[in-house]
Every structure is written in C-alpha cells, then in structure tokens.
Amino acid sequence: MAKQENICQPTFAMTLFLDECNKRLRIDDYRGNMNDIYSYIYKEVDKATYEKWIIKARAEHLLDWMSLGFSLEATVPYYFNGSDAYLLCYYTSQSRRDSGETLKETELLQDVLNLPTSDYSPLSNQLIMRRAISSDAKQLSQLYRQIFTVYPTPLYEEEYLSSLLQEDSLFYIIVDKNDIVSAASAEIDYVYHNAELTDCATLPAYRKYGFMKHLLSALEAELKQRHIFCAYTIARALSFGMNAAFHQLGYIYTGRLTNNCYIYKSLEDMNVWVKDLSKSKG
C-alpha cells in the first residue's frame, strides 16, 4: 500500500508519496531548498525500490529542478489554485526510462486529436446514473476486478472502496437492472482546488454506448458546484476509447508520463489531459 509522509528538515518541508507497488515516489508539495530536497531523497530513499521520481513543480522552480536532472513530461494548467503545475521526472533505472511504445502511442494520439468534439446521445430509460454510496462497494470492486488485472490502487478490494465511499469520495456509476456496468470517480484536492478524474471502467459489452462521457460530465457538474475548476486525468496512452472520450469532452492533451504505473495488465505510459471547467458550459 502506498503511504504519504510529511517531512520537515531545517531547510525544507515536503509531502512525499511513496508508492512501492508502482516503484515510484512523488513530491506532491514542497517549500524551501530544492538542492537539499534532492539530496535527502537521493540519500534516504532506496533507488532500487523507487525507479521513478515525480515532482509537481511550480513555474518559478522549473529550471532549478531541471538542473538537478529532472525532465519535463507533462503539465497540469491551473493546478495550484489557478497556477500551472509541471510534472517533472527523474529515473534511477534505464529500463524504466525507456518506453517501447512511443511511436504507436503518438499515432494513436494523432488519430484521437483528429476526431471532432461531439455531443452524446441520452442514456436508455432502463439505465440509471447516480452517485455511488457505501453499499455499492461490493459491486464496484467486482467491476474493477473484471476490467483490470493490475491497478495503481486496490479498487478490487471491497473494504478499500467502502472506506473511500464513506469518506465522501466522489464516484458516479451507471446501473443496468441493479448491476453496475460503468463507473468513474473524482479525487478532489481542497487545498489547491483541483480534481483528478480517474477509476474509469466499463464492462466490455457496454463500451459502444459512450457511458464514460455521461459519467465524466456528471462529475464535472458536481465539481463546478464545489467551485473546483481544474479537472485533469491520466489516461492509458494505448487506450483509444479513454483518450477519445476526454478529447471529445474538450480536454487538452498536455504530455505523456513514461512507464508511469502498473495498470490494466502491465507498466504503461499515461497521457495527461486537462480542462478548465470555469470556461465550459453547463
């Protein structure tokens, strides 16, 4: 299980997210001396366990982090209460740094970007879209277990999902005859007022109906009610359907994270898409 640590030293403070499952660490927030932050991680963290380091950097620190060996892979505009975040990465493993799917992913992305933005047809009357509640945890875990062989978080565990839903986590689902057939969620950061749209899954038999656009739009509406205007997602770079859904809903592609996490069946590259909900209608 991943864990978060708040580290305070004489010359810096940071929020460090340690993710052993995906062999990566992430600096979600920081202040102080960046050279000392880098030195601390380099000396205190097992480089064999954490092959990829990610930092959400501010614009004014971009060159400082790059001078320490970090490279820019993507951006999240509006992330810090309207200011941009820069996703910079550092690798301790050559194999983690190299992706064998770059050309294929770029071709897929171009096909997606050539698609027109489009509306979507109404849901069938027999289907119900609603916010998930704690009693949905068992069915939700079964849905994720069917779709993903591996996933960055343990969504296939009923107890884990139940705890999320009890903590006011925002999941929307589509139900057909009492069965959950599609789901998506929003992880909200109330400090910097942004949300990651994630945990998107639809049973194979239902994928041709465009359910994800309905779910994402419902999540967007809920976020706007909470005055959360920065919405972003990290989608599998080899998933045409997911990338197409975000593109057609007006999200902007802002970069690709190399070998970012274990998802679906293996370690995969992930595309970043961002939308300013304050400029969207509805």
Side-chain angles (χ1 to χ4, degrees):
M1 182 73 71
K3 61 180 179 179
Q4 179 177 296
E5 295 183 357
N6 294 314
I7 298 172
C8 294
Q9 295 289 312
T11 59
F12 69 85
M14 67 174 167
T15 302
L16 188 62
F17 188 81
L18 297 168
D19 184 357
E20 289 189 11
C21 177
N22 291 292
K23 299 182 179 180
R24 64 182 180 178
L25 64 81
R26 190 177 68 237
I27 302 173
D28 286 334
D29 208 354
Y30 65 90
R31 63 184 183 274
N33 190 304
M34 283 162 279
N35 287 280
D36 290 351
I37 292 173
Y38 171 82
S39 295
Y40 177 90
I41 295 174
Y42 199 86
K43 294 175 181 177
E44 300 296 330
V45 172
D46 181 1
K47 288 178 281 297
T49 299
Y50 301 103
E51 301 171 339
K52 179 171 184 172
W53 307 352
I54 307 168
I55 184 164
K56 297 174 182 176
R58 293 164 176 78
E60 59 269 28
H61 302 147
L62 185 58
L63 294 180
D64 294 292
W65 288 114
M66 293 180 74
S67 72
L68 291 170
F70 286 79
S71 57
L72 179 64
E73 291 192 344
T75 63
V76 183
Y78 327 117
Y79 181 93
F80 294 115
N81 289 319
S83 297
D84 299 350
Y86 294 81
L87 303 184
L88 294 159
C89 300
Y90 183 98
Y91 294 88
T92 63
S93 164
Q94 185 62 44
S95 61
R96 186 67 178 249
R97 180 66 183 88
D98 297 334
S99 171
E101 302 286 358
T102 302
L103 292 179
K104 184 177 180 180
E105 291 165 351
T106 300
E107 290 174 357
L108 183 148
L109 176 64
Q110 289 305 316
D111 290 340
V112 166
L113 294 175
N114 287 332
L115 293 173
T117 55
S118 62
D119 294 325
Y120 42 91
S121 57
L123 289 174
S124 167
N125 290 334
Q126 74 180 41
L127 301 171
I128 297 173
M129 182 172 66
R130 61 173 174 82
R131 184 174 174 183
I133 55 178
S134 58
S135 59
D136 293 315
K138 182 176 182 178
Q139 270 207 50
L140 263 179
S141 66
Q142 292 171 344
L143 171 70
Y144 289 118
R145 196 177 300 121
Q146 289 182 69
I147 302 302
F148 299 105
T149 303
V150 292
Y151 199 73
T153 58
L155 289 179
Y156 39 80
E157 296 180 5
E158 180 182 346
E159 184 177 344
Y160 175 77
L161 268 172
S162 180
S163 66
L164 288 181
L165 293 169
Q166 290 173 10
E167 293 171 359
D168 197 37
S169 289
L170 188 57
F171 280 78
Y172 265 79
I173 57 176
I174 291 177
V175 180
D176 183 12
K177 298 177 182 177
N178 298 318
D179 294 326
I180 298 174
V181 298
S182 189
S185 77
E187 294 182 6
I188 302 174
D189 180 342
Y190 286 106
V191 174
Y192 291 118
H193 298 92
N194 60 68
E196 179 183 357
L197 300 186
T198 185
D199 305 330
C200 302
T202 302
L203 290 177
Y206 291 85
R207 288 178 184 167
K208 61 184 177 181
Y209 301 113
F211 288 172
M212 201 50 60
K213 293 178 185 177
H214 289 274
L215 291 169
L216 295 173
S217 295
L219 289 168
E220 287 179 4
E222 183 100 24
L223 292 172
K224 290 176 72 172
Q225 289 180 7
R226 302 183 187 203
H227 296 96
I228 304 293
F229 300 117
C230 171
Y232 70 98
T233 194
I234 303 174
R236 291 177 53 237
L238 289 172
S239 172
F240 183 88
M242 284 309 309
N243 286 281
F246 284 101
H247 166 68
Q248 292 185 312
L249 285 173
Y251 286 72
I252 305 301
Y253 170 77
T254 61
R256 183 178 304 142
L257 300 172
T258 301
N259 288 328
N260 192 63
C261 58
Y262 289 91
I263 187 170
Y264 193 54
K265 295 181 180 180
S266 61
L267 186 64
E268 295 203 23
D269 300 342
M270 306 291 283
N271 287 339
V272 180
W273 297 85
V274 185
K275 185 175 183 179
D276 180 356
L277 298 182
S278 72
K279 297 178 181 178
S280 63
K281 298 179 181 179

